[in-house]
Amino acid sequence: METSRELSIGWKKVLDAIRSRISEKQFETWFSHTNCSEFDPERLVIDVPNSFYSAWLKKQYGEIIREAVEEAIGSACPALEFHIDESLKVDESLELLGRADEGGQQEVIREIVPRRKSKNSPRDINTQLNQDYTFDNFVVGPSNRMSHAAALAVIEDPGRVYNPLFIHGGLGLGKTHLLQGVCHELLARDPDLRMEYVPCEQFVNEFIAALEKNRIEDFRERYRELDVLVIDDIHFLANKDHTQEEFFHTFNRLYNDHKQIILSSDSPPRDIPTLEDRLVSRFRWGMVCAIEPPTFETRLAIIRKKCRRMKTELDDEVGEFLASSLKGSIRELEGAVTRFIGFARLMQRPLDVATANEALGDLLGSSRRRVTIDEIVSQVTDHYGVRLSDLQSKKRFQSITLPRQICMYLARKYTSHSLAEIGGYFGGRDHSTVLHATDKIGKSLKNDPEVRDAVAEFCRHLDAQA
Ligand code: ADP
Ligand code: MG
């Protein structure tokens, strides 16, 4: 990886992969003070504040770091080196620990237990699940009733009624919550159930890593010897021919054994770009349900529930005000409620409409509508005379990459979708592709008048719509 930007993107991926393997506290303690100064096929150099860190990381986390690197870059981990950089900030307690006696170190040793067990034993599924995403916390309304009912039916009789269960819907509308709700419920009924919950991106990365390391048999064992397989955001299979092929066999095996398969996606099966027909048809064998944006009443119920969980009651007037003025996804709705309550507490204001206006000004206002990715795509594809399916394909001609990158840039600017979500939408690309695109367009705005004019024109239209 040559540029410092690529280096930091690569390192960030590694950190994310490490984070998914250890507790937040361990991560904070050991990795928040590190840096990466070299990352290429030969060497990975990690800067650490002192020798204690380097000894500790080498001994306790070496294996985890190597695994994480392999997951992140999809190939073998280069040689690991630690470099001491005294300018790095260090935790005070660790400063002390650096000089601590044996006893002190024993304390820490006990804490460092990787969350994942040995390589091929099943992961502890609970570490993959958000403890808040339960059925109890899921508000049911007309927009998600079908999906909820189908999920309940699956819990009653996994592998039999609806197989696969395929839930699709826009971003932030509750797919992950519902899928994980099913996992919690199934585990409560049978703690020994062999179940995997994986975001599709992780499935893809593990598959690639398994290929690289000649561990494909382990991979197959992990995903084929299951009672329940749950894959979130299956649209990440777009453009991944080889993983699609592998998943096809996984699917067949589980399906024929009457094992339950549960999938979610940001679009219905036939709209997932470049998804093989044989997978599209299989995804439709069971039950395909949509989750729609919530209605006013559902939004109100979600706001109330969220407030209760934050130990706060809202009176009807302000609850209804929020439910009628916040029209984005449920994720945005929750974010706004948290901001409102946080603001009121901090500023010691009453929880009323005036405070809501003050705290949420930029999110409210009936005239301020959110721009959607679809609107961005429609402008850009019209202008460049390309199709959405081109943008979602693997094609890398300049005539396609430029509009694709502009779409990503505008999606970052105008929507609150995450990098991963935007990448997923444009053909199962990962977050670093989106970062690269926004970076690239940002530069072109400075030195390419054609791009600058086109983007300025798109922004004028989108601003007018917002
Ligand atoms: P998606 O996977 O569709 O992008 P998520 O499942 O991540 O969306 O949901 C986004 C946020 O909204 C989560 O915090 C989730 O708990 C919340 N949420 C979504 N649907 C509901 C619901 N029906 N009731 C309560 N909270 C919900
Ligand atoms: Mg999700």
Side-chain angles (χ1 to χ4, degrees), residues 130 132-141 143-144 148 167-180 197 232-233 264-266 291 294 298 301-303 305-306 309 329-335 421:
N130 181 327
D132 291 333
Y133 289 180
T134 61
F135 265 78
D136 278 352
N137 287 337
F138 192 80
V139 174
V140 183
S143 53
N144 57 25
H148 179 258
I167 309 270
H168 67 90
L171 303 170
L173 295 184
K175 301 179 298 293
T176 297
H177 188 144
L178 191 61
L179 256 52
Q180 297 200 7
Y197 167 91
D232 203 357
D233 293 328
S264 79
S265 164
D266 69 356
I291 297 192
T298 310
I302 290 170
I303 292 170
K305 187 147 223 156
K306 176 88 187 167
R309 295 188 47 227
S329 70
I330 298 180
R331 187 178 304 150
E332 290 166 317
L333 184 67
E334 287 191 331
E421 287 169 343

Side-chain angles (χ1 to χ4, degrees), residues 85-242:
D85 176 356
E86 291 181 341
S87 69
L88 285 169
K89 210 171 110 270
V90 54
D91 229 10
E92 250 177 41
S93 57
L94 279 177
E95 188 83 285
L96 291 176
L97 251 183
R99 295 181 240 121
D101 58 12
E102 279 297 301
Q105 294 205 11
Q106 286 303 325
E107 267 308 299
V108 184
I109 290 171
R110 239 175 283 126
E111 188 202 311
I112 313 290
V113 182
R115 278 214 243 155
R116 203 209 279 201
K117 295 179 206 146
S118 78
K119 287 244 169 45
N120 209 28
S121 69
R123 276 179 288 249
D124 177 3
I125 176 145
N126 281 306
T127 63
Q128 299 274 97
L129 299 180
N130 181 327
Q131 297 306 315
D132 291 333
Y133 289 180
T134 61
F135 265 78
D136 278 352
N137 287 337
F138 192 80
V139 174
V140 183
S143 53
N144 57 25
R145 182 161 287 125
M146 272 278 284
S147 301
H148 179 258
L152 284 180
V154 162
I155 291 165
E156 288 306 322
D157 199 0
R160 301 278 164 183
V161 270
Y162 299 135
N163 206 16
L165 173 61
F166 189 102
I167 309 270
H168 67 90
L171 303 170
L173 295 184
K175 301 179 298 293
T176 297
H177 188 144
L178 191 61
L179 256 52
Q180 297 200 7
V182 173
C183 296
H184 285 300
E185 208 60 32
L186 286 170
L187 281 178
R189 289 169 192 227
D190 178 3
D192 296 327
L193 197 71
R194 291 172 307 167
M195 176 158 69
E196 283 280 1
Y197 167 91
V198 271
C200 187
E201 203 175 0
Q202 183 181 331
F203 182 85
V204 173
N205 289 338
E206 284 179 15
F207 175 62
I208 295 169
L211 281 180
E212 297 268 346
K213 286 188 278 184
N214 273 326
R215 292 238 191 90
I216 201 71
E217 286 313 314
D218 293 351
F219 178 86
R220 291 193 175 141
E221 202 180 311
R222 158 162 286 147
Y223 286 107
R224 295 186 188 181
E225 311 294 328
L226 288 174
D227 301 314
V228 180
L229 173 60
V230 185
I231 302 194
D232 203 357
D233 293 328
I234 196 77
H235 57 276
F236 269 96
L237 283 185
N239 292 312
K240 315 271 178 354
D241 307 345
H242 202 163

Side-chain angles (χ1 to χ4, degrees), residues 275-428:
L275 188 69
E276 293 175 29
D277 287 342
R278 55 186 187 167
L279 279 175
V280 174
S281 69
R282 273 167 180 71
F283 289 174
R284 294 152 93 178
W285 279 353
M287 173 65 123
V288 176
C289 300
I291 297 192
E292 306 282 348
T295 59
F296 170 79
E297 290 80 4
T298 310
R299 291 202 297 275
L300 186 56
I302 290 170
I303 292 170
R304 292 242 162 82
K305 187 147 223 156
K306 176 88 187 167
C307 287
R308 271 198 298 281
R309 295 188 47 227
M310 294 181 74
K311 310 247 178 297
T312 307
E313 282 291 332
L314 289 190
D315 64 31
D316 291 349
E317 192 199 5
V318 65
E320 285 165 19
F321 171 75
L322 291 174
S324 60
S325 31
L326 294 165
K327 298 220 175 91
S329 70
I330 298 180
R331 187 178 304 150
E332 290 166 317
L333 184 67
E334 287 191 331
V337 171
T338 311
R339 182 156 137 197
F340 169 49
I341 294 177
F343 177 88
R345 282 184 188 158
L346 191 70
M347 311 298 278
Q348 304 190 333
R349 299 281 169 76
L351 290 165
D352 59 13
V353 172
T355 308
N357 265 315
E358 208 176 332
L360 305 175
D362 52 333
L363 304 175
L364 297 170
S366 41
S367 61
R368 256 194 86 80
R369 216 179 43 77
R370 313 284 276 185
V371 170
T372 64
I373 293 196
D374 291 333
E375 286 161 353
I376 292 171
V377 167
S378 118
Q379 297 232 354
V380 175
T381 50
D382 275 359
H383 178 90
Y384 286 100
V386 292
R387 288 166 307 182
L388 172 60
S389 59
D390 293 325
L391 303 186
Q392 291 176 324
S393 74
K394 266 190 202 166
K395 292 179 192 156
R396 303 182 103 202
F397 321 121
Q398 171 68 8
S399 59
I400 305 287
T401 41
L402 178 66
R404 184 189 291 136
Q405 288 174 335
I406 290 181
C407 282
M408 290 177 172
Y409 171 87
L410 293 171
R412 277 302 275 171
K413 184 168 155 106
Y414 283 95
T415 75
S416 56
H417 298 314
S418 69
L419 294 168
E421 287 169 343
I422 295 169
Y425 183 92
F426 289 101

